[in-house]
Amino acid sequence: MAKTRGHISIDIDECKGCELCTVECPQDGMAMSTELNRKGYHYALLVEDVCTGCTNCALVCPEAVITVYRENKANKTKEKVAVITDVRDNITVTVS
Amino acid sequence: MSAASEGIQCAYIEDLDEVWARPSTLIETTMHYCPGCGHSVVHRLIMEVIRELNIQEIAIGVAPVGCAVFAYHYMDIDMQEAAHGRATAVATGIKRMLPDRMVFTYQGDGDLAAIGTAETIHTINRGENIVMVFINNGIYGMTGGQMAPTTLEGSITSTTPSGRDLAMHGHPLKITEMIAMLPGAYYVTRQAVNTAKAVRKTKRALMNAFKYQMEGKGGTSFIEVVSNCPSGWKMTPIESNQWLENHIFKNFELGDIKTPPKE
Amino acid sequence: MNTKVLMKGNEALAEAAIRAGLKGYFGYPITPQSELLEYISRELPKRGGSFIQAESEIAAINMVYGGAGTGERVMTSTSSPGYSLMQECISYIACAELPCLLVNVVRGGPGLGTIQPSQGDYFQAVKGGGHGDYRVIVLAPNSVQEMADFTYLGMDLADQYRNPVLILADGALGQMMEPVIFPDYNPEDHKVDHSAWATRGKPNDRDHNVITTLHLVSEKMEEVNLTLQEKYRTIVQNEVRYETIEVDDADFIIVAFGLTSRVAHKSVELARAEGLKVGLLRPQTLFPFPTNILSELADRVRGMLVVEMNAGQMVEDVRLAVNGKIPVSFHGRMGGIIPQPEEILDRIKLVYNVNEMETA
């Protein structure tokens, strides 16, 4: 597998079934469930093992219920999501 | 959090790093918005920016009447609900009392561009050092889908049953271009949240706007987000996002309208 | 020793507000209160506060809402048409329980009316004015000294009860010049801790504070109303203020507030000179209204005359207090005309010996 390995987890009971994530997935790895969740919606699922952890699905998810994971290539030192210093005095924010 | 009952499981998830998760500043609750609504995305983006800039303790938000009136249920910061149209006046009162706080308004098109037009223009003309977030979805969502000042010509709403007729209802108001002319406007941009790419850009715009407020040198930062209203437009969320691309963005072009002078 | 200074009512009020620790003033020019706005625009910025000439009275009162929500001392001032414009937000302020000082230097209405003094805003000031069940504490000064004194009092009451307080003046009180003494008052000694509810940014150790007036669940909205009504009952119990002049042996009472009470005072002197035992009751608070003293007086006088610069507004509250025990007559002038002591005396003579219910 040449691609970066990734995965998502979805809080399916909070999904409102808008389907926007399924359109946004560049790997076409997502689909809607046949079951209904507690709210009565078909919920989003990762159905193909093709996730690269690109975060696109999470970015368009209105309910913010998708958590995204990605492999740490070559077991490098873990990179942080954001480096924050006290910005009130000195604005330095790095978002990787 | 429930585990998925269908879909693929991941055996190696322990080996992976969490690279995206719901921001802690967004309160763990179900938002009242309809499925696919852009409001939820913009709420989350503001909360991401506030968390990443580490300004939760000094942020004060103002959400007036409109679909976003309950924003205070979702944003874990001090907030004031405002009367319809008056968010920027309220924000002005807050900012003048507490100039070192990060104050922002979150307003819809009816609020900002109809009933609150005077407040919008004069707040920006005073160059109040606040961030204004303007959700333009071309409709009055909360009251049942009536025409908004930004509704496009020909669009059917519950008060333009035959489509917006310019002779009867006037023209769609491009208030963002109007306010960009004001000397008090420091940063004016029009963004969207219909794709991941657009979401990234909107977040960057919000990040810039709050940084400008911290630096306190310019004036008002104004971020319009052209968004959808699947329920009001009577479309699926996917159709509504396509409608944005095919029709709305042709009239409300995305991009920066006024950027701060280069230093 | 505090020295006496000669000042206009509007300016005395403005100076008192600044001395009382005013941090934010938001207003819009309108005659006859513009000196107040001008004075504060000149003085407040150099004494540690913020001044904004807003784009409208609507914007001004909403700035007050925002500023009050931070727990700082804020105010606005206006005159009748402007006060009408502010009503929506005053309802919000009352519901959200935000402390602030409002000033209405009343002019004659309805409509654009006249810039001359009037008391035609009694209903609007005292009975709510905006939508829903709420009350504003209403203070009615009758001198330049009281324009200042009630400003300090109003700021304190606003903070104490988390309620808007209105100073109901009129064009003449705002414009007239009289000597005034500013009392010793250190705002620091009067500071109320608003940190439990004010929106000043959320520290890590507390939940976020939210100022809202929206409660879609009926039971919750009723609960909010019941809390407000309970507060208003406390205010009624504790904050009634009035002045009595020559009431001890009086068998007839004039009731008047604000500027009219000064004219009525003269009428009392004229009546006394003619042997008529007339006294004066002057409500200093219009909400809460001095109902009890009026009821007590009604047990021992033969009648009352209410004098106002309107078509008869406070007279309704006097009649409610008296509850039919004695006749209550009314004498009013409108359009900016101040009644003369002699015409009030004539009116007293007309009803003094006539045991009949008068209706204006």
Side-chain angles (χ1 to χ4, degrees), chain A residues 13-14 16 18 20 23-24 35 39 43 46 54 56 58-59 61-63 66-70 72 84 87, chain B residues 2 5-8 10 12 16-17 19-20 22 30-31 33 36 40 44 52-53 58 196 200 238 241:
Chain A
D13 278 331
E14 289 297 319
K16 287 184 188 162
C18 73
L20 293 180
V23 191
E24 201 59 24
E35 311 264 304
K39 292 187 202 299
Y43 48 89
L46 180 67
C54 76
N56 278 11
L59 291 182
C61 175
E63 310 310 319
I66 304 178
T67 309
V68 184
Y69 305 87
R70 193 189 301 154
N72 189 347
I84 302 156
V87 288
Chain B
S2 325
S5 58
E6 303 169 48
I8 61 153
C10 181
Y12 47 84
L16 305 181
D17 291 344
V19 291
W20 198 96
R22 186 187 176 92
T30 308
M31 294 194 233
Y33 298 110
S40 318
R44 190 196 77 220
E52 288 169 29
L53 292 176
I58 54 167
R200 288 189 178 92
I238 292 174
N241 277 355

Side-chain angles (χ1 to χ4, degrees), chain C residues 252 254 256 260 262-265 267-268 305 307-308 331 339-351:
Chain C
F252 190 90
I254 307 175
T260 323
R262 294 170 67 126
V263 184
H265 190 169
S267 306
V268 168
L305 174 69
V307 183
E308 301 178 69
H331 181 70
Q340 295 303 303
E342 293 76 15
E343 66 181 85
I344 298 173
L345 180 63
D346 289 346
R347 187 73 181 178
I348 293 169
K349 286 179 184 166
L350 199 66
V351 294

